[in-house]
Amino acid sequence: MDGPGLSRRELRILVEIEDELRADGRLDRAMRTMRRGPGCLLDRALGLAVRVPAAVLAVLLALSAGLLLVAADAHSPAVPAAFALVWAPTFALSATRPIARRRGLRP
């Protein structure tokens, strides 16, 4: 840091502020454990899930239901494979959107 250091009075005030902040246990723990990790990946996934329009989720749900009904009658391995390909993102979006809303994430 360039320039003159802090005066004794300013250092004392800074120490008092730090002591008051350290008294807050949740804040102190959050500051000590700040890092990017698996939680960051989950937050990014939740943020992306919220940005997907609800109409896309509705179409995926309808397509999944339709493919499930067709798969019950068809004997081709392609239909269950198509259902699995459509069902995976449908399930992921259906599971993450309520979690993201609960955490207060908005599009």
Side-chain angles (χ1 to χ4, degrees):
M1 193 164 90
D2 294 337
L6 297 175
S7 68
R8 283 188 180 272
R9 179 175 179 269
E10 291 170 335
L11 284 172
R12 189 180 68 238
I13 292 171
L14 181 60
V15 168
E16 289 174 8
I17 292 171
E18 288 176 347
D19 288 341
E20 287 178 19
L21 290 175
R22 224 173 249 115
D24 185 1
R26 288 179 59 193
L27 176 63
D28 187 45
R29 182 174 184 272
M31 295 301 287
R32 282 187 286 119
T33 61
M34 269 178 52
R35 65 183 183 279
R36 293 182 69 131
C40 182
L41 181 62
L42 177 64
D43 290 340
R44 192 175 305 137
L46 292 175
L48 290 174
V50 171
R51 289 189 197 115
V52 175
V56 172
L57 181 58
V59 168
L60 284 173
L61 284 169
L63 192 57
S64 292
L67 283 172
L68 183 63
L69 292 173
V70 170
D73 192 37
H75 298 291
S76 170
V79 178
F83 170 74
L85 288 175
V86 172
W87 181 80
T90 304
F91 179 75
L93 281 175
S94 298
T96 54
R97 284 179 73 93
I99 296 169
R101 297 287 178 163
R102 193 175 309 129
R103 287 189 178 190
L105 299 174
R106 301 283 181 215

